[in-house]
């Protein structure tokens, strides 16, 4: 493909993973990120921008003469930032505001799935206390209660406690209450231009805060890929029954979905069921999926943004495995403590690179000391590759052990079961 100047919007670990992959792409001649973070600054030029202001993002893209804008987070997509960029004649990777409702409203997603015949959990959309009580009684425990709107990965409560489920539901306003889905969970990303669907490799993430899937839900505490326990035909099945029908339905409605369709799935005793859709790359699954992708990233994303995916060659993948472990700040997923210095980053780079590296999420560089300090709940994603999951786990936890962040916590069991017995 021709060379390309890329602007990435966002400042989390997902955007750091995207920027890292794009920085290794020989076709990328200039890489910018807005607003970025302390880690992204090492591979891209950073710019200040309000990521929810479509006009400001479009102005920045035009000033930088960007030839591709990649909108990373969900809030700018739902706010129509990709629309504003495209209106200026600049290719944007990310769905329109209308199509991004697939993530912005769980009720809308359920309606799309019903029309498209996509298998998912039975659900009620509730707006009153009486409707909440009726739905909770209909399904029984464990209760699955989802805020209808965006909630930064923390709008879902899964609990056997009726009072806790009801409290969360009433705090949300409009809420989706659905049946609990049994079986292992799978995350599958699919790049699409609104017609053609190109699946990436599946991953599995870990939502609970603590080892053994204990504690509250989080935005994700780690992930791994590939899935040794999964049926080799699983990806084809998901594309055929979930991704392609959803893309086709949105196009039929006049709101084609172009960008990254994320399907969170449960492999139940009754078959594949959709838990949720996202309209962008997921965090922390992006970290492990991109670690294994050998195809240059810029060409794939630009083909999706310009309606040319059908002409792209098959994706190429490494034969090995990747594991990522999230280091979270004190009290996460509650109100996190920020401003704590982070140590050991240079040691990881010197001792473990390139098979293990650190991706920044909630970090900033302190203006007075110049130190990298915590600036959010999920602070770092440490990612490692290996010939298999056991080797990747060994490398990632060795790298994690080098990092110091007062009061932080991380899970020690990411990919442990899959590495030991393949399930």
């Amino acid at each position: 493909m021709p060379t390309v100047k890329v602007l990435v919007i966002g400042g989390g670990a997902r955007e750091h993973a995207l920027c890292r992959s794009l920085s290794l792409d020989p076709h990328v001649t200039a890489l910018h990120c807005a607003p970025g973070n302390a880690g992204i600054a090492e591979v891209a030029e950073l710019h200040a921008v309000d990521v929810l202001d479509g006009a400001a993002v479009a102005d920045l893209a035009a000033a930088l003469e960007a030839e591709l804008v990649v909108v990373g987070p969900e809030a700018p997509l739902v706010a129509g930032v990709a629309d504003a960029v495209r209106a200026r004649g600049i290719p944007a990777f990310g769905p329109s505001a209308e199509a991004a409702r697939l993530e912005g409203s769980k009720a809308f997603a359920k309606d799309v799935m019903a029309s498209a015949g996509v298998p998912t959990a039975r659900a009620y959309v509730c707006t009153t206390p009486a409707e909440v009580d009726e739905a909770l009684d209909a399904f029984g425990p464990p209760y699955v209660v989802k805020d209808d709107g965006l909630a930064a990965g923390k709008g879902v409560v899964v609990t056997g406690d009726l009072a806790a489920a009801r409290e969360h539901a009433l705090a949300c306003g409009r809420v989706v209450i659905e049946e609990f889905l049994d079986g292992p969970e799978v995350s599958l990303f699919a790049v699409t231009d609104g017609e053609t669907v190109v699946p990436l490799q599946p991953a599995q993430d870990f939502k609970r805060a603590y080892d053994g899937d204990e504690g509250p839900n989080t935005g994700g505490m780690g992930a791994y890929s590939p899935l040794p326990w999964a049926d080799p035909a699983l990806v084809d099945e998901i594309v055929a029954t979930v991704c392609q029908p959803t893309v086709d339905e949105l196009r039929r409605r006049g709101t084609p979905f172009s960008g990254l369709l994320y399907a969170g799935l449960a492999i139940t005793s009754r078959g594949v069921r959709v838990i949720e859709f996202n309209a962008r790359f997921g965090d922390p699954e992006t970290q492990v999926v991109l670690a294994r992708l050998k195809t240059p990233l810029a060409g794939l994303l630009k083909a999706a943004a310009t309606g040319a995916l059908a002409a792209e060659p098959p994706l190429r993948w490494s034969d090995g495995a990747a594991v990522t472990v999230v280091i979270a700040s004190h009290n996460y997923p509650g109100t996190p403590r920020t401003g704590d210095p982070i140590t050991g980053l240079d040691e990881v780079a010197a001792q473990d690179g390139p098979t293990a590296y650190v991706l920044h999420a909630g970090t900033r560089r302190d203006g007075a000391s110049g130190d990298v300090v915590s600036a959010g709940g999920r602070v770092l994603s440490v990612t490692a590759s290996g010939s298999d999951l056991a080797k990747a786990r060994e490398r990632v936890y060795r790298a994690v052990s080098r990092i110091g962040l007062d009061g932080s916590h991380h899970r020690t069991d990411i990919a442990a079961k899959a590495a030991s017995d393949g399930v």
Side-chain angles (χ1 to χ4, degrees):
M1 64 169 281
T3 56
V4 61
K5 300 176 183 177
V6 183
L7 169 63
V8 176
I9 302 301
R14 166 186 51 232
E15 288 76 39
H16 195 175
L18 287 163
C19 284
R20 183 180 185 275
S21 292
L22 289 165
S23 73
L24 299 173
D25 186 333
H27 299 106
V28 175
T29 57
L31 181 57
H32 304 270
C33 187
N37 61 38
I40 296 174
E42 298 176 5
V43 295
E45 183 179 346
L46 302 190
H47 304 270
V49 76
D50 179 353
V51 300
L52 298 179
D53 186 336
V57 172
D59 286 344
L60 175 62
L64 295 173
E65 299 181 335
E67 296 156 298
L68 174 65
V69 176
V70 180
V71 184
E74 60 272 27
L77 291 168
V78 172
V81 168
D83 301 273
V85 172
R86 278 191 284 267
R88 297 287 290 271
I90 302 169
F93 181 82
S96 67
E98 277 296 308
R101 289 179 65 206
L102 200 64
E103 177 171 4
S105 169
K106 293 173 180 63
F108 175 76
K110 288 291 187 183
D111 182 66
V112 170
M113 285 187 275
S115 298
V118 171
T120 186
R122 293 180 297 118
Y124 292 98
V125 179
C126 306
T127 58
T128 68
E131 290 174 342
V132 166
D133 290 340
E134 183 180 352
L136 292 173
D137 182 62
F139 288 129
Y143 305 101
V144 181
V145 184
K146 300 180 176 182
D147 191 331
D148 181 53
L150 295 178
K154 290 178 282 187
V156 179
V157 165
V158 181
T159 179
D161 185 331
L162 176 60
R166 190 173 191 273
E167 180 183 12
H168 181 68
L170 297 180
C172 291
R174 194 172 195 230
V175 67
V176 174
I177 297 175
E178 62 184 40
E179 67 175 325
F180 178 78
L181 296 175
D182 65 320
E185 295 186 11
V186 172
S187 299
L188 185 71
F189 300 153
V191 175
T192 178
D193 57 9
E195 293 191 22
T196 301
V197 173
V198 177
L200 306 188
Q201 289 286 296
Q204 186 175 68
D205 77 332
F206 294 74
K207 291 293 190 188
R208 299 285 187 168
Y210 309 122
D211 284 5
D213 290 327
E214 297 291 333
N217 265 3
T218 72
M221 295 299 292
Y224 70 93
S225 180
L227 311 181
W229 50 266
D231 188 318
L234 179 62
V235 170
D236 290 341
E237 178 187 352
I238 294 169
V239 170
T241 63
V242 174
C243 300
Q244 192 69 59
T246 300
V247 169
D248 292 345
E249 172 62 18
L250 287 168
R251 187 175 68 253
R252 186 192 67 78
R253 293 181 178 213
T255 56
F257 188 105
S258 170
L260 195 289
L261 177 62
Y262 166 113
L265 308 139
I267 313 303
T268 76
S269 55
R270 295 174 291 149
V272 173
R273 296 290 185 273
V274 174
I275 299 171
E276 65 175 351
F277 282 129
N278 290 339
R280 38 74 193 182
F281 280 101
D283 176 4
E285 298 97 323
T286 300
Q287 290 87 302
V288 292
V289 172
L290 293 187
R292 299 185 54 235
L293 180 64
K294 295 176 69 175
T295 297
L297 185 61
L300 177 66
L301 302 188
K302 190 169 185 181
T306 56
L309 261 184
E312 287 294 294
L315 300 182
R316 295 181 293 113
W317 298 92
S318 70
D319 292 331
V323 177
T324 193
V325 174
V326 171
I327 297 177
S329 58
H330 175 75
N331 200 44
Y332 178 80
T335 302
R337 190 176 75 202
T338 60
D340 289 313
I342 302 167
T343 62
L345 299 175
D346 291 341
E347 188 177 352
V348 172
Q351 300 293 326
D352 303 297
T355 57
Y357 49 87
V358 179
L359 298 169
H360 292 233
T363 70
R364 62 177 177 84
R365 193 168 291 278
D366 183 77
S369 66
D371 294 336
V372 176
V373 300
S374 61
R378 291 187 295 167
V379 181
L380 303 169
S381 285
V382 184
T383 303
S385 299
S387 55
D388 55 26
L389 284 175
K391 188 64 176 178
R393 267 182 51 81
E394 175 189 330
R395 288 172 171 169
V396 77
Y397 280 109
R398 183 168 60 225
V400 166
S401 71
R402 303 187 197 279
I403 294 173
L405 174 61
D406 186 49
S408 67
H409 63 95
H410 65 271
R411 286 186 57 158
T412 65
D413 61 348
I414 304 299
K417 195 169 187 295
S420 63
D421 54 22
V423 297

